[in-house]
Amino acid sequence: MSAMLLGIDHVGLAVRDLDAAADRYLRALGMTAGHRETVEAQGVEAVFLDTGDPSSSVELLAPLRPDSAVGRFLESRGEGLHHVAYRVDDIAAALEALRAEGIPLVDEQPREGSRGTLIAFAHPRGFAGTLVELVQHPEASR
Amino acid sequence: MSAMLLGIDHVGLAVRDLDAAADRYLRALGMTAGHRETVEAQGVEAVFLDTGDPSSSVELLAPLRPDSAVGRFLESRGEGLHHVAYRVDDIAAALEALRAEGIPLVDEQPREGSRGTLIAFAHPRGFAGTLVELVQHPEASR
């Protein structure tokens, strides 16, 4: 059984100042702020912005510590685009498909994301330099 | 009259080999190839990939020449995420809103994009390091 791709779930943007960046997107583009959370284990604070399309959002990511993954990203690359997340209906099958194509995975198994999702990251080497996340929403399980 | 934000139109990814990258997205993620075009004036070849959600696609960009904008991007940053494009219903009003917030613009006026769209780019300085494109589709005019 193969997984079905359901579109772009969100784009992740690495920023230094979460509030300043969110304010900019809200004021200049008319986005609205949604779910916000601190993930101590990942060393990151994140806020999701509503883009006017409920299925595709912007995730702003700011590091809690310089030695976190996002902190190191900012150090080496500066602020900007961090990853693209695609929504799938069956993340286990989708990971299997990546493996079958020889894509190197960051997460060999799905893990818990925010808002009840299951997520997994594939290495940028697998997708011409782009860090790719897969997301399965709770309502997508079948 | 203010512009309405309608979601993420596409994400633009800069790659060196358009066919190899497209093949990877098609085979590993089950995307399908859509509109493809060469824009001599911009020195770029682009292909749009369908992500399973008709409103949000992936645009792969490869340079025709090293001294093009995408060629210089690859030289300095390497392959990867290039821009995020947001769909708006009224691009003139949306540009006015960016100006009112002091966002530096690459395009002061909307210009013709592919597939009958109007587009304009805002400078990454205005959005915490992310190159932002606005897109108005023909059917969105009011």
Side-chain angles (χ1 to χ4, degrees):
Chain A
M1 192 160 64
S2 65
M4 193 177 291
L5 188 64
L6 303 173
I8 296 174
D9 187 78
H10 64 269
V11 293
L13 313 179
V15 302
R16 296 189 194 281
D17 183 332
L18 203 60
D19 290 319
D23 188 59
R24 182 52 67 91
Y25 275 93
L26 269 51
R27 292 174 61 99
L29 284 174
M31 295 188 185
T32 51
H35 181 76
R36 181 169 184 144
E37 75 177 321
T38 298
V39 188
E40 274 294 343
Q42 308 281 329
V44 75
E45 187 174 8
V47 60
F48 282 87
L49 306 180
D50 178 350
T51 65
D53 172 0
S55 67
S56 294
S57 52
V58 167
E59 181 184 24
L60 298 179
L61 301 158
L64 297 173
R65 303 179 289 273
D67 66 346
S68 60
V70 172
R72 290 192 303 268
F73 178 91
L74 287 174
E75 181 64 32
S76 66
R77 305 274 301 176
E79 292 188 306
L81 287 155
H82 183 263
H83 67 270
V84 181
Y86 298 102
R87 193 181 295 221
V88 295
D89 65 342
D90 182 341
I91 193 167
L95 274 177
E96 210 41 68
L98 298 194
R99 243 182 236 111
E101 285 297 320
I103 306 272
L105 301 177
V106 175
D107 300 299
E108 290 291 337
Q109 298 296 330
R111 57 184 171 87
E112 210 175 307
S114 66
R115 306 169 297 165
T117 57
L118 289 171
I119 64 169
F121 281 88
H123 198 280
R125 280 198 312 276
F127 288 104
T130 296
L131 177 60
V132 165
E133 180 182 3
L134 301 178
V135 183
Q136 178 185 323
H137 284 258
E139 71 272 22
S141 56
R142 57 181 186 183
Chain B
M1 192 159 66
S2 65
M4 191 177 292
L5 188 64
L6 303 173
I8 295 173
D9 187 79
H10 64 270
V11 293
L13 312 179
V15 302
R16 294 188 196 283
D17 183 332
L18 203 61
D19 288 320
D23 188 59
R24 182 51 67 93
Y25 275 94
L26 268 51
R27 292 173 61 99
L29 284 173
M31 294 188 187
T32 51
H35 182 76
R36 181 170 183 143
E37 74 177 321
T38 297
V39 187
E40 274 293 345
Q42 308 280 330
V44 73
E45 186 173 10
V47 60
F48 283 88
L49 306 180
D50 180 349
T51 65
D53 172 358
S55 66
S56 294
S57 53
V58 167
E59 181 184 23
L60 298 178
L61 300 158
L64 296 174
R65 303 179 289 273
D67 67 345
S68 60
V70 171
R72 289 191 305 266
F73 177 91
L74 287 173
E75 181 64 31
S76 65
R77 307 274 299 176
E79 290 188 308
L81 287 155
H82 183 264
H83 67 271
V84 181
Y86 298 102
R87 194 181 295 220
V88 296
D89 65 342
D90 182 341
I91 194 168
L95 274 177
E96 209 44 65
L98 297 193
R99 245 183 235 113
E101 285 298 319
I103 307 271
L105 302 177
V106 176
D107 300 300
E108 290 291 337
Q109 298 296 330
R111 58 184 171 87
E112 211 176 306
S114 66
R115 305 170 297 167
T117 57
L118 289 172
I119 65 169
F121 282 88
H123 198 280
R125 279 198 313 276
F127 288 102
T130 296
L131 177 61
V132 166
E133 180 182 3
L134 300 177
V135 183
Q136 179 185 322
H137 283 259
E139 70 272 22
S141 56
R142 57 181 183 184

